[in-house]
Amino acid sequence: MLKDTSPKDIDENITSDIAFKMGQVLGDFHTRIKPFSKIKIVKDQFDGYLTEINTFNASTYKRQLLTEAKKFEHHKKEIQDELLTKSKFVLHGDVGIRNYKYVNDKLVLIDFEKARLGPVYQDFIKLFYQDFKLNLDLIAAFLRGYSNKNSDYELSDLTKQYLIFTTAIGIFNYTEKLRIFRLNRLVRKCLRH
């Protein structure tokens, strides 16, 4: 379907003007798209992430993640209360430069298969850390554009840190599964020869 519209990628050299427009597009998405039936809702955040960490193979990063998780446990109710009140938006779930395209000279978001209900800050994390590389000028421009469409995005620093932490757990989980998949594939290949 998108092939008919000839989508074009964003230039990898993001400017403040483009970051501003990206913020507007995401802000518009968050305010326009309303929760729908069967949307994924993340529940039991604390218990779920501790369980996830415990599935990792024994390693230094597993011990470090468990140590960090204990720091958030002391503020569990505070974080859960804030997440409960702020998790009313439909998130894109995979906001990154690769999911912004120009279609008929208009900047749009694509690929919504990871949509879920949550706090909008969760959609910022990957973009800010990975694509913007924590460039404060780009982040500020993005947030200016975003707040033109949606001013309801602020969270306490503690809850932001918790969301960054849970995102890191997801990344570790993904890389561990990928490592195991590659190892299994290598073993199968060796067994065939």
Side-chain angles (χ1 to χ4, degrees):
M1 185 164 111
L2 277 178
K3 290 179 183 176
D4 296 340
T5 60
S6 301
K8 294 182 180 94
D9 293 337
I10 292 180
D11 183 0
E12 294 266 339
N13 297 321
I14 301 296
T15 65
S16 292
D17 288 339
I18 294 172
F20 180 86
K21 290 175 188 169
M22 292 169 71
Q24 286 182 312
V25 169
L26 186 61
D28 184 55
F29 173 82
H30 284 156
T31 55
R32 207 171 25 87
I33 306 302
K34 302 300 177 204
F36 49 90
S37 65
K38 297 186 182 180
I39 188 164
K40 182 179 178 183
I41 301 171
V42 179
K43 294 182 180 180
D44 301 323
Q45 291 232 359
F46 280 85
D47 300 332
Y49 287 115
L50 287 173
T51 301
E52 191 172 350
I53 293 170
N54 282 318
T55 66
F56 297 167
N57 290 321
S59 65
T60 304
Y61 72 78
K62 178 179 180 177
R63 286 189 299 278
Q64 289 172 333
L65 290 171
L66 288 169
T67 299
E68 290 302 313
K70 288 177 186 172
K71 294 176 184 177
F72 292 111
E73 280 291 323
H74 298 296
H75 302 283
K76 182 177 180 175
K77 180 166 177 19
E78 179 185 342
I79 293 169
Q80 284 180 321
D81 288 348
E82 187 172 18
L83 288 175
L84 185 64
T85 60
K86 292 291 188 171
S87 294
K88 59 185 177 184
F89 292 95
V90 174
L91 304 182
H92 178 275
D94 191 16
V95 175
I97 290 173
R98 67 184 173 79
N99 283 330
Y100 279 94
K101 302 288 182 201
Y102 286 103
V103 176
N104 299 326
D105 296 323
K106 181 180 178 188
L107 190 60
V108 299
L109 274 167
I110 63 165
D111 292 339
F112 302 97
E113 70 271 1
K114 293 184 181 178
R116 65 185 182 281
L117 215 53
V120 297
Y121 186 78
Q122 197 133 32
D123 263 351
F124 300 167
I125 295 170
K126 179 181 168 194
L127 181 69
F128 290 177
Y129 280 78
Q130 183 176 321
D131 294 341
F132 288 0
K133 297 177 178 47
L134 291 179
N135 179 312
L136 298 179
D137 293 333
L138 294 179
I139 292 170
F142 177 91
L143 291 174
R144 278 193 308 276
Y146 184 88
S147 63
N148 280 346
K149 302 290 182 173
N150 182 14
S151 60
D152 189 13
Y153 68 89
E154 290 295 336
L155 292 172
S156 68
D157 287 341
L158 178 65
T159 300
K160 286 179 186 176
Q161 290 169 7
Y162 175 74
L163 291 173
I164 293 165
F165 173 70
T166 59
T167 300
I169 292 170
I171 292 167
F172 282 119
N173 189 10
Y174 173 77
T175 57
E176 185 154 299
K177 285 178 183 174
L178 189 60
R179 185 181 59 78
I180 291 169
F181 171 77
R182 287 180 177 156
L183 183 61
N184 287 338
R185 191 171 63 188
L186 179 63
V187 168
R188 283 193 306 272
K189 185 177 179 181
C190 289
L191 290 174
R192 279 184 275 167
H193 294 298

